[in-house]
Amino acid sequence: MIAHISLSVSDYQRAKKFYTKALKPLKYKQTMEFGEAAGFEEGGNTSFWITRTKKHSPTHVAFEAKNKRQVNAFYKEALSAGARDNGKPGYRTEYWPGYYAAFVYDMDGHNIEAVYFDHEKIKK
């Protein structure tokens, strides 16, 4: 399952206004914002993001893992298949308390992520 995707935009305010309006009929609403990055949620998952970039940049796709073991295996296998490191497996508490992820760049420079949403981490 794809957990989320992020598109680069050249005019953040214009894009935020556009996607807020265009996605409303699909029941998406903006729920997060970090600088010039906005996340839109539907059904409890912030699955669509826009991010301002100075130039067009590669796409970001996050695949949802079922546990930390899968995230770790994704990272190891991706590197052995030719990907470049973009963030070792670990918790990204600045995103969400139980956000466990690893990031790699594929051969075309796309930012590929595996993420596990560790709900147990929040209960502690």
Side-chain angles (χ1 to χ4, degrees):
M1 170 193 271
I2 294 176
H4 60 269
I5 190 165
S6 180
L7 300 180
S8 64
V9 298
S10 60
D11 184 329
Y12 176 71
Q13 291 301 326
R14 181 181 67 184
K16 185 168 75 166
K17 189 177 200 177
F18 169 79
Y19 282 108
T20 297
K21 188 172 183 177
L23 296 177
K24 188 175 182 178
L26 301 175
K27 307 296 185 208
Y28 277 81
K29 61 183 177 181
Q30 183 191 342
T31 56
M32 300 179 87
E33 190 165 27
F34 296 100
E36 290 188 307
F40 295 81
E41 174 186 304
E42 186 280 323
N45 180 28
T46 306
S47 59
F48 178 72
W49 287 82
I50 58 169
T51 305
R52 187 200 174 290
T53 56
K54 293 182 181 181
K55 62 177 185 164
H56 177 73
S57 66
T59 300
H60 169 69
V61 178
F63 294 94
E64 188 171 350
K66 296 189 183 336
N67 52 51
K68 293 191 306 185
R69 217 173 35 257
Q70 284 185 337
V71 171
N72 297 342
F74 156 81
Y75 181 78
K76 180 181 176 185
E77 291 299 321
L79 292 179
S80 72
R84 291 180 295 124
D85 170 59
N86 187 29
K88 293 179 180 177
Y91 285 102
R92 305 310 198 273
T93 56
E94 65 274 19
Y95 299 159
W96 186 74
Y99 198 102
Y100 187 87
F103 301 83
V104 298
Y105 291 119
D106 73 4
M107 285 62 70
D108 292 307
H110 298 292
N111 182 12
I112 310 301
E113 172 187 359
V115 58
Y116 168 59
F117 300 106
D118 187 350
H119 294 280
E120 293 298 317
K121 191 76 170 170
I122 294 176
K123 295 177 184 177
K124 294 180 181 179

